[in-house]
Every structure is written in C-alpha cells, then in structure tokens.
Amino acid sequence: MSALEPREAGTDAGPIAAVDAPRGSVLDGAHRALSVGIVSVVLLVAFEATAVGTAMPVAARELNGVSVYAFAFSAYFTTSLFGMVVAGQWSDRNGPLVPLTAGMSAFAAGLVLSGTAGGMGVFILGRAVQGLGGGLVIVALYVVVSRAYEEHLRPAIMAAFAAAWVVPSVVGPLASGTITEHLGWRWVFVGIPALVVLPLALALPAIRRTASGPADPSAPLAPWDRRRILLALAISAGAGLLQYAGQELRWLSLLPAVVGAALLVPAVRGLLPRGTVRAARGLPAVILLRGVAAGSFIAAESFVPLMLVTQRGLSPTLAGLSLAAGGLTWALGSWIQSRPWTEPYRERLVVLGMLLVALAIAAAPSVLLPAVPVWVVAVAWGFGCLGMGVVIASTSVLLLKLSPPEEAGANSAALQISDGLSNVLLLAVGGAAFAALGGGAAGHAVATAGDASHPGAFVVVFLPMAGVAAAGAWVATRLRGHAAP
C-alpha cells in the first residue's frame, strides 16, 4: 500500500456517539451525501494505487525505462510532499473545496499523461503531476472531516476510509493484470480518470454546503506563507535526492545524499511542529508516531513479496496474495478504534498496535529458514495490519482533536509529510542496506526479482524496521496532550 498513504480506515454505518454526545452517524441525513462522496474519492485513489503498481513493470519495459523504474515511484512521492504543504495553506485560507477539486483534476491529468506517454521521461512527468494532485487531495479530505463532522463521528469516517481500501487491494491487481494482458497497460492509466466524475459529483456539492470557505469568515484572510512554500520545495527536492542516492550505491552518490540532507533538515524543522523530533507530548508525538509507523511498516512490506519469490520459490501472484488478508485486518483494526468504548483507552490501544507491528516485522524473516512454513508470513502480516489499522486511524483522529479549526490544514499537512517522508527515507535506508549485502539495488526489484539474493540482505531490512516500530510503541505513550481550544 502506499504517501499516504497512504490506507486510512473500516466501515461504520451505525451511530458511534458517546453516551453524553449528540447521536448521529456518518450516514444520517446530514452527512450521507458527503460521506458517500469523500469515501468514493478514497476508493478511487485506492484503486489507482493498487492497479497502477501492477501495470508499471510492463509500462517501463515497453518504454525502455527499466533503468529508471524507481523514479516513476519517487516522482509521485516527492511532488506529493509539496502538494501537501500547499493544500494545508490553501485549505486554511479558502476552505478545502478548491484544493480538492484541483487535486483530483491534477490526479486525473497525470494519469492521462502517463497513459499516453511515448517515452519514459513523459511517463515520469505524468507520475509527478499525479503525485501533486494526490498530495492536494489527502490533506483537503482531512480538512473536510475536521469541519463537517462532529468529534464523536470522526473515528467512524476514518474507519470508512480504511474500508475503501479493502476491495481495491484484492480486486485492483487482478483487474489491472487482466486489462494489461488483454488490452494493454495504457488502458489502466487512461481508464481511471473517467471514474473521477462520480466521486466529484457526489462530494463537491456536499462540501460546498458544509465545509467551504475559511474556518472563520469574519477574520481577515491570511497571506500565503512563502517561507513554507520554499520549505516544501526543499523537502521535496531533498527527499528525491536521498532516494536517488539510496538507489545508486557509488561514491558519487554521496554528493546527492549530502545535498538532500542539507535541504531536508531545515525543511523538516520548519514544516513540522516544534518538538516533533523529540516526541514532545501531544500533537508533536502524534505526528512523529504517524511517520514511525508508516515508514517502518511500508519499508518492510515492500520486501516481503521479493523475499518469498527469491528465497522460497513462490510465484509473484502467490507472494502478493500472502499480504491480501492484511487489507481485511487493517480495516478491522480501524473499526475497533471507532467503537465508543475504546475512546478512554485510545493511547493504550495504539501502544498495543505498535507492538503488533513490531512483532509482525520481526517474524517475517523467519521464513528464510526452510523449516518455517510460508503461511507464517501471511499470519504475521495479518496481525501487523491489525495494529496498523488501529494506529493510522487513531493518529488521524487525535490530530483533528488537537488542532484548532484554523490550523487543521497545516497540521494535516504535517501529518502527511511525516508519513510520506518517513516512507521515502526508511525505504532508502532499507534499500541501501539490502543492496550492500548482495540483495540488488533498491528500486530495481522488477529487474532482480528472479535473482537469488543473500538471505542476510533481507534480515538487515526487517530487523532494523522492527526496532523502529518498537520505538514507536514508546512514542505512543506520549500521545496524551491538551486538546486545542
């Protein structure tokens, strides 16, 4: 799954109000159109994320771009970081309606550009445009939730976001593979934009009624923060340079690595709340935990299919199916956190979720031993996804709880930056360690999936990521803070 990611939430159609809160549900008359609309947006993004990844290797081969295959992914991630910062300011100033519309339009335009590309350069440019749109969309959606849903309904709509990933995670690769085989990879890219119309038709009128305009219409319109825009450019460029350096293990790679770090450090300090790096209690710890959880899990998950193919001889299809159940348990974890009885125990639940993630990552390389059956990975990953469902949805809920309405956009952007940047950095670190021990260059898995990698190359990916996730359990003990007035 993926910067945003990435997978956000489970389903809930019934009332979730606390005993002393007004009753209602995300599907009552006041919220039904909006809920269906924004969940449809997430469903579309989820289908794209799962379907496009299946068609990408075929596209790269046809466009003679296997050597720069990784940049089709990094272009998306780096521009999405910039889009997140812009969306945060844009939504706080003018409301989430326009940035969401612009983001969906850019998302669709990028897909068309990639799908009609005659060369790998244009294909990568299309992915960059798509990433910019994706960054705008995810932050704008968070602002919609913060404005249009009462606090006691937010866990349920975050759970619905995660449920929107379940069907695409199972159907997306199969549908994409069938279309790629019978019609060609281009139809995967150019067909998805046609699906944009329905989510926008459902969501935009409801957003215009419930969440448009600035949070405080009587307050003067705040100017654009040019410093934050420049920092957003720096964090995008820095992340791209570090990812490139992690893929090219040569002495010359030290230069882009140093330049990337020099750009990233001040940008991170300027874009994330003060105290994030040291896990200060409250909002900073919430934002740090999001990055720790997402980065460690996604970095480890990226190597699971490759390990099963090269070390245990599974077919790519079976290796991918070993992770399929994770979509269901992720949604289950997100649904659990949406139950009213969990609210007093949310922090403890998040600690437990991070421990499940750490144990799942640590258990995965056990299948390097021939005596360990391969289904152990599927079981372990199911428990890891259960923990991630709790953690990811809970950090989203806590972020909105601790954010004043006029700062929801900026703080949502910070949360997504932590998520996306951690994915890039930990993937680069894990990929460099993997390549250094004979595993093949990170980002070129499509070219090396059939090669025999040294088992130790996988161990040096999984065990450090398990340690990062275990550190996240400590960060989760620091989530309690005073809610913003």
Side-chain angles (χ1 to χ4, degrees), residues 35-188:
S35 297
V36 173
I38 62 177
V39 171
S40 297
V41 170
V42 175
L43 183 69
L44 174 65
V45 173
F47 183 78
E48 181 277 334
T50 55
V52 165
T54 303
M56 198 84 76
V58 180
R61 286 197 296 270
E62 185 174 313
L63 297 174
N64 298 315
V66 172
S67 62
V68 291
Y69 177 78
F71 291 104
F73 293 95
S74 60
Y76 183 100
F77 288 135
T78 53
T79 55
S80 67
L81 290 172
F82 178 73
M84 291 168 189
V85 177
V86 172
Q89 286 202 52
W90 201 350
S91 298
D92 285 340
R93 293 180 79 253
N94 306 105
L97 180 64
V98 178
L100 179 63
T101 306
M104 291 297 290
S105 300
F107 188 81
L111 282 165
V112 172
L113 190 59
S114 291
T116 56
M120 198 62 179
V122 177
F123 183 88
I124 292 173
L125 176 62
R127 291 289 291 165
V129 174
Q130 189 186 346
L132 178 64
L136 290 170
V137 167
I138 187 62
V139 173
L141 284 177
Y142 270 64
V143 178
V144 170
V145 171
S146 74
R147 294 192 183 185
Y149 293 87
E150 297 87 345
E151 185 176 318
H152 69 281
L153 293 179
R154 291 172 189 166
I157 194 64
M158 290 299 172
F161 283 1
W165 279 86
V166 175
V167 173
S169 66
V170 176
V171 176
L174 178 62
S176 176
T178 302
I179 293 172
T180 300
E181 183 177 348
H182 292 93
L183 298 178
W185 64 268
R186 295 182 185 276
W187 285 99
V188 176

Side-chain angles (χ1 to χ4, degrees), residues 448-473:
T448 63
D451 299 339
S453 301
H454 192 284
F458 293 98
V459 174
V460 297
V461 172
F462 286 102
L463 293 189
M465 295 307 158
V468 173

Side-chain angles (χ1 to χ4, degrees), residues 77 81 235 238-243 246 257 260-261 264-265 268 291 295-296 299 417-433 465:
F77 288 135
L81 290 172
I235 204 170
L241 288 170
L242 281 178
Q243 192 172 49
L264 271 181
V265 172
V268 168
S296 60
I417 288 170
S418 178
D419 187 320
L421 183 60
S422 181
N423 284 341
V424 171
L425 294 181
L426 291 181
L427 273 169
V429 170
M465 295 307 158

Side-chain angles (χ1 to χ4, degrees), residues 15 24 27 76 93 196 215-216 228 249 308 345 404 425 432 439 451 453:
L27 290 179
Y76 183 100
R93 293 180 79 253
V196 170
D216 183 1
R228 289 184 66 86
L249 295 181
L308 294 176
Y345 310 104
L425 294 181
D451 299 339
S453 301

Side-chain angles (χ1 to χ4, degrees), residues 53-464:
T54 303
M56 198 84 76
V58 180
R61 286 197 296 270
E62 185 174 313
L63 297 174
N64 298 315
V66 172
S67 62
V68 291
Y69 177 78
F71 291 104
F73 293 95
S74 60
Y76 183 100
F77 288 135
T78 53
T79 55
S80 67
L81 290 172
F82 178 73
M84 291 168 189
V85 177
V86 172
Q89 286 202 52
W90 201 350
S91 298
D92 285 340
R93 293 180 79 253
N94 306 105
L97 180 64
V98 178
L100 179 63
T101 306
M104 291 297 290
S105 300
F107 188 81
L111 282 165
V112 172
L113 190 59
S114 291
T116 56
M120 198 62 179
V122 177
F123 183 88
I124 292 173
L125 176 62
R127 291 289 291 165
V129 174
Q130 189 186 346
L132 178 64
L136 290 170
V137 167
I138 187 62
V139 173
L141 284 177
Y142 270 64
V143 178
V144 170
V145 171
S146 74
R147 294 192 183 185
Y149 293 87
E150 297 87 345
E151 185 176 318
H152 69 281
L153 293 179
R154 291 172 189 166
I157 194 64
M158 290 299 172
F161 283 1
W165 279 86
V166 175
V167 173
S169 66
V170 176
V171 176
L174 178 62
S176 176
T178 302
I179 293 172
T180 300
E181 183 177 348
H182 292 93
L183 298 178
W185 64 268
R186 295 182 185 276
W187 285 99
V188 176
F189 286 84
V190 300
I192 293 176
L195 305 177
V196 170
V197 177
L198 177 60
L200 288 183
L202 289 170
L204 295 187
I207 294 173
R208 185 176 292 109
R209 291 193 305 270
T210 61
S212 61
D216 183 1
S218 63
L221 198 63
W224 283 91
D225 189 339
R226 295 181 181 179
R227 176 177 173 274
R228 289 184 66 86
I229 299 298
L230 291 175
L231 290 175
L233 289 171
I235 204 170
S236 298
L241 288 170
L242 281 178
Q243 192 172 49
Y244 171 79
Q247 293 160 4
E248 303 292 336
L249 295 181
R250 299 177 297 175
W251 285 108
L252 288 177
S253 299
L254 289 175
L255 180 59
V258 170
V259 174
L263 290 171
L264 271 181
V265 172
V268 168
R269 291 175 62 89
L271 291 173
L272 300 185
R274 182 176 299 177
T276 298
V277 175
R278 57 183 174 83
R281 289 190 177 276
L283 184 63
V286 171
I287 290 174
L288 177 63
L289 178 62
R290 178 59 162 263
V292 168
S296 60
F297 188 80
I298 296 302
E301 187 179 58
S302 299
F303 287 89
V304 170
L306 185 61
M307 178 176 65
L308 294 176
V309 169
T310 61
Q311 302 300 311
R312 298 302 298 263
L314 268 66
S315 68
T317 300
L318 286 177
L321 287 175
S322 68
L323 305 178
L328 295 174
T329 57
W330 189 304
L332 175 61
S334 187
W335 178 83
I336 289 172
Q337 66 78 41
S338 74
R339 301 294 85 199
W341 61 264
T342 65
E343 189 58 40
Y345 310 104
R346 184 174 296 279
E347 287 76 12
R348 296 180 187 177
L349 198 62
V350 173
V351 172
L352 176 60
M354 287 307 305
L355 290 175
L356 287 175
V357 172
L359 290 172
I361 296 174
S366 66
V367 299
L368 293 169
L369 300 173
V372 177
V374 293
W375 54 259
V376 168
V377 170
V379 173
W381 225 248
F383 280 102
C385 286
L386 178 68
M388 285 294 288
V390 170
V391 172
I392 297 300
S394 290
T395 52
S396 300
V397 170
L398 288 169
L399 174 104
L400 297 178
K401 181 178 181 179
L402 297 170
S403 298
E406 66 275 9
E407 296 177 9
N411 290 340
S412 297
L415 187 79
Q416 296 302 326
I417 288 170
S418 178
D419 187 320
L421 183 60
S422 181
N423 284 341
V424 171
L425 294 181
L426 291 181
L427 273 169
V429 170
F434 182 73
L437 269 76
H444 293 85
V446 66
T448 63
D451 299 339
S453 301
H454 192 284
F458 293 98
V459 174
V460 297
V461 172
F462 286 102
L463 293 189

